[in-house]
Amino acid sequence: MDVTEQASSKEATKIENEETSSVEIKVLFFARARELTGVPDLTLKMPSGSTTQKCMDELVIKFPKLEEVRGCVVLALNEEYTTDSAIVKHRDELAIIPPISGG
Amino acid sequence: MTSEEKNLVEILEEGHKVDVVKYMDYVSAPEAGAIATFSGTTRNMFEGKTVLELRYEAYVPMATKCLTSICNTARSTWDIHKIAVAHRLGPVPVGETSVFIAVSSVHRADGLDACKFLIDELKATVPIWKKEVYTNGEIWKENSEFMEKRDSLGQKQEQRRSCCGSKVRVQEDEEHKDNNTSS
């Protein structure tokens, strides 16, 4: 049991160190954005301190087709509308929201 | 304080029809002299094209939060008893209800105004999408209400905790007095 605990605490330290240089966020795609990427969600690794705009840049590199909606999407961070300059944190959820059409 | 108990917000998963009677029953009360409702129904034509069906999808947790926030904003502006908002997801055939809003109030003016506000805000800020499927193609629709508000959606986040960041609340001091008495 001791060995396991030691191992897991070591693991924790390792992860912490990694977090200082990069963060992992979950990205959600909806409607037209989902059709363009072909996936509903993915995990994105970004340097620490990245803005949502930087994440979007990265996503357009991964999925060039997203360029089509880039100019008209809004972003939500952890279920709230956000700005391009907001900083993403580890395990944040970033949603790519094309023009909405409820009702 | 207990306003949540007087708001019913439901995003209905695919295959569940909007049960209008359920929401009417929910908002009705002996003290409410008026029930204002809005029902959004799929049309059979758009710009001359024949619509087969509409398909809806939502960012469900955020849509639910947004709708609850909009209900509470309405409560702070008008004297309202109960609110029910339901939005259907998945395919909705022509002629069926996709969205239903019911607002009960002591007097009709509050209910009618709040009902209009609720559907306008829903169309402008709640993350729900619809695709129109025609006999010869399909298209993701875009609400003009959203396009007008798009740039301001994320702006006021530091000032407010709700997810729908851009509501402008116009209210007189007199109206403010009533806020804490409802519930």
Side-chain angles (χ1 to χ4, degrees):
Chain A
M1 213 202 326
D2 274 349
V3 177
T4 320
E5 270 175 21
Q6 267 180 9
S8 66
S9 92
K10 215 180 217 175
E11 186 67 19
T13 318
K14 205 170 108 193
I15 289 168
E16 225 167 73
N17 286 341
E18 241 170 54
E19 274 175 19
T20 56
S21 56
S22 71
V23 296
E24 276 189 0
I25 62 166
K26 187 175 185 188
V27 180
L28 306 179
F29 301 101
F30 291 99
R32 184 66 186 149
R34 176 175 35 75
E35 288 181 344
L36 290 169
T37 61
V39 293
D41 58 73
L42 56 82
T43 303
L44 183 69
K45 198 170 180 181
M46 294 294 296
S48 293
S50 295
T51 61
T52 58
Q53 184 169 29
K54 192 86 185 75
C55 296
M56 195 64 208
D57 291 343
E58 192 62 31
L59 290 167
V60 175
I61 292 167
K62 269 189 204 294
F63 302 100
K65 284 181 180 172
L66 275 180
E67 195 61 54
E68 178 191 312
V69 291
R70 169 146 215 193
C72 61
V73 299
V74 292
L75 302 174
L77 195 56
N78 303 323
E79 301 174 5
E80 297 193 1
Y81 288 115
T82 188
T83 57
D84 286 348
S85 57
I87 306 287
V88 298
K89 299 185 301 296
H90 190 55
R91 293 191 178 157
D92 273 357
E93 182 175 280
L94 180 70
I96 313 302
I97 303 202
I100 62 173
S101 41
Chain B
M1 196 165 71
T2 56
S3 67
E4 278 74 12
E5 294 161 27
K6 297 195 171 188
N7 299 334
L8 178 61
V9 171
E10 292 191 337
I11 306 285
L12 303 166
E13 291 303 326
E14 183 165 343
H16 291 80
K17 289 190 179 188
V18 175
D19 182 352
V20 169
V21 175
K22 171 184 165 182
Y23 303 109
M24 293 292 283
D25 284 349
Y26 175 80
V27 299
S28 75
E31 61 266 47
I35 296 176
T37 65
F38 173 80
S39 173
T41 306
T42 56
R43 265 180 313 195
N44 63 351
M45 295 289 273
F46 179 74
E47 290 178 352
K49 288 173 285 196
T50 304
V51 176
L52 293 181
E53 66 176 16
L54 303 191
R55 281 187 210 139
Y56 286 93
E57 67 174 73
Y59 182 9
V60 175
M62 181 171 166
T64 307
K65 273 168 77 173
C66 276
L67 285 169
T68 303
S69 158
I70 294 167
C71 287
N72 290 330
T73 303
R75 284 182 178 284
S76 66
T77 312
W78 294 281
D79 188 4
I80 288 165
H81 182 61
K82 279 188 168 184
I83 305 175
V85 183
H87 203 300
R88 190 171 162 183
L89 299 183
V92 179
V94 166
E96 292 190 12
T97 300
S98 52
V99 61
F100 187 74
I101 297 173
V103 183
S104 60
S105 53
V106 176
H107 301 293
R108 72 179 182 285
D110 288 301
L112 286 167
D113 289 350
C115 193
K116 181 179 188 322
F117 169 81
L118 287 161
I119 185 61
D120 288 346
E121 283 293 306
L122 183 152
K123 293 188 82 105
T125 64
V126 179
I128 299 174
W129 297 267
K130 94 176 128 220
K131 182 188 257 187
E132 264 181 8
V133 182
Y134 310 111
T135 44
N136 59 345
E138 52 183 44
I139 192 169
W140 287 102
K141 303 291 287 182
E142 300 180 356
N143 289 343
S144 58
E145 295 88 345
F146 167 82
M147 296 316 239
E148 285 157 19
K149 259 190 180 176
R150 198 173 70 84
D151 293 335
S152 62
L153 276 177
Q155 296 305 328
K156 293 179 187 165
Q157 229 209 335
E158 64 282 1
Q159 295 166 21
R160 25 179 317 131
R161 300 217 44 211
S162 97
C163 69
C164 301
S166 67
K167 289 184 295 277
V168 179
R169 249 192 257 175
V170 183
Q171 56 186 18
E172 307 297 328
D173 285 330
E174 281 82 7
E175 283 180 298
H176 218 101
K177 274 193 305 199
D178 298 332
N179 287 352
N180 299 329
T181 58
S182 64
S183 77

